[in-house]
Amino acid sequence: MDSTEGSVTPAQRHKARHFALQAIYQWQLTGYSATEIEKQFLEDQPIRGADLEYLHDLISGVINNVDEIDATFAPHLSRPLDELDQVDKAVLRVGTFELMFRQEVPYRVVINESILLAKEFAEQDSHKFVNGVLDKVVKAIK
């Protein structure tokens, strides 16, 4: 279900972020190209109801800009980037990408969505960690 820009709902965007997080997690573990990850993901996942354009933008945007994204949030971590849990790293990469490259999305929406994803997929208190890091990223970007 692809959607035109004017009729995208928050639920469709949330689903796009949900699936993008899973795709980025898979990419982190496999190292496949953005194209291959997206192709596998679209074939293997029941992604009905997601904003497919936004999903594509998130997957390709995070993978193609990962060094810049990591350099933006890494200074705000309490431990080295390579010691981060893979789910936390994926949540922070998607959230930081949106804060950097999708500035039409209000930062509060990005942070709230990232917290929801952390609550859904990550360790128990990860959402607090994600909130703290992304809050600092917002201040650093402005």
Side-chain angles (χ1 to χ4, degrees), residues 53-120:
E53 263 183 61
Y54 206 68
L55 175 62
H56 168 77
D57 190 41
L58 291 173
I59 294 171
S60 62
V62 169
I63 293 173
N64 294 327
N65 296 288
V66 71
D67 292 338
E68 188 180 352
I69 291 165
D70 288 356
T72 301
F73 75 78
H76 309 294
L77 298 175
S78 55
R79 56 191 170 274
L81 181 63
D82 60 357
E83 291 178 17
L84 265 192
D85 175 80
Q86 291 295 328
V87 176
D88 290 348
K89 190 183 297 183
V91 172
L92 288 171
R93 283 174 166 165
V94 172
T96 301
F97 169 79
E98 284 191 280
L99 292 171
M100 293 172 70
F101 297 101
R102 297 302 300 248
Q103 294 181 346
E104 77 280 5
V105 179
Y107 75 89
R108 285 185 175 92
V109 170
V110 173
I111 292 175
N112 286 337
E113 285 286 316
S114 298
I115 289 169
L116 288 174
L117 291 171
K119 284 181 176 178
E120 188 174 351

